[in-house]
Amino acid sequence: MRPDEMLPRVFLLKAGSIERDLAGIILDARSSVTLIKTERGWIIVDTGQVGDEEEILKALADLGLEGSDIDIIVNTHSHPDHCANNRLFSRAMKMYPNDGEEIAPGVRVLATPGHSPDSISVLVDAAIQQGDGTTPATRRVVIAGDALPTLGNFQKRVPPAVHYDRALAVASMNKIIEMADMVIPGHERPFSVGEEMQNRVQ
């Protein structure tokens, strides 16, 4: 077995979204839902908002999986748009990991408070298939939840608008930006973090 075949694989089941009115008030927020295949089994990170059930279960079915196949649930924080569908995975163990804790080989937790006191991100040293038939590349993927909710937060270098501690939110964003090759944000599609873009949030 090649080394890359032992690395975790990351699957985006559902991209996050956020809808605001003209004044910037959030009207609807739905988190990204991410699946990780590991040596320890299937891990789902965040389970989305009420109303997302059908989309999530269809994405699992497209991979040949059912809700009962999921082994571990990790929520980046306890807001309902990120954990409302935990009930879909009744067989799964719900984990509350600490900073630095390894959930499975190649998968560990980063404490990223600021948006909420309990906010974490999940760091995955993942095998990414390039689509050209070459050997998969190893990339560090950070599933950021609302510690880095959108590409706009990254591009503008501003922390999430909803936060309880701006200094912590800034520090958490910087931690993610410095460590990630790719970010799965809480409320948008994944994006790459190029070396030239890794300047710090102020």
Side-chain angles (χ1 to χ4, degrees):
M1 180 179 288
R2 297 194 316 259
D4 64 83
E5 293 175 332
M6 299 172 64
L7 291 171
R9 295 289 209 277
V10 177
F11 304 85
L12 183 67
L13 297 181
K14 188 189 81 65
S17 62
I18 192 162
E19 181 183 344
R20 300 178 187 271
D21 66 15
L22 293 177
I25 304 299
I26 296 172
L27 302 174
D28 186 65
R30 297 179 181 274
S31 77
S32 299
V33 180
T34 307
L35 183 68
I36 311 169
K37 181 181 182 181
T38 75
E39 292 180 26
R40 194 174 167 191
W42 293 98
I43 301 170
I44 195 162
V45 180
D46 287 339
T47 60
Q49 179 66 281
V50 171
D52 294 338
E53 299 92 333
E54 185 176 341
E55 183 177 354
I56 294 165
L57 292 174
K58 182 184 183 305
L60 282 174
D62 289 345
L63 294 169
L65 299 170
E66 299 177 348
S68 59
D69 292 314
I70 303 305
D71 300 292
I72 297 170
I73 297 171
V74 177
N75 297 118
T76 58
H77 58 296
S78 56
H79 291 172
D81 56 319
H82 291 257
C83 62
N85 292 311
N86 285 4
R87 59 192 166 76
L88 296 178
F89 313 104
S90 57
R91 195 186 67 78
M93 176 179 65
K94 175 76 172 71
M95 288 191 71
Y96 300 89
N98 297 312
D99 184 34
E101 183 175 340
E102 185 178 79
I103 303 171
V107 183
R108 64 186 173 92
V109 169
L110 301 173
T112 49
H115 170 69
S116 69
D118 64 340
S119 286
I120 61 170
S121 299
V122 178
L123 187 150
V124 186
D125 289 316
I128 304 294
Q129 186 63 55
Q130 304 299 316
D132 57 6
T134 59
T135 300
T138 302
R139 293 287 183 269
R140 182 159 281 180
V141 179
V142 176
I143 305 165
D146 287 353
L148 184 43
T150 69
L151 175 62
N153 290 104
F154 170 65
Q155 290 175 327
K156 296 172 186 176
R157 297 301 193 269
V158 295
V162 177
H163 58 265
Y164 82 100
D165 187 310
R166 190 182 191 282
L168 282 177
V170 166
S172 292
M173 278 189 64
N174 283 328
K175 183 189 294 189
I176 292 166
I177 290 167
E178 287 166 1
M179 297 184 80
D181 297 314
M182 178 181 294
V183 172
I184 299 177
H187 291 283
E188 217 164 61
R189 295 198 63 80
F191 58 87
S192 294
V193 179
E195 289 183 9
E196 72 282 359
M197 300 178 72
Q198 288 183 349
N199 49 308
R200 298 173 65 85
V201 182
Q202 301 300 316

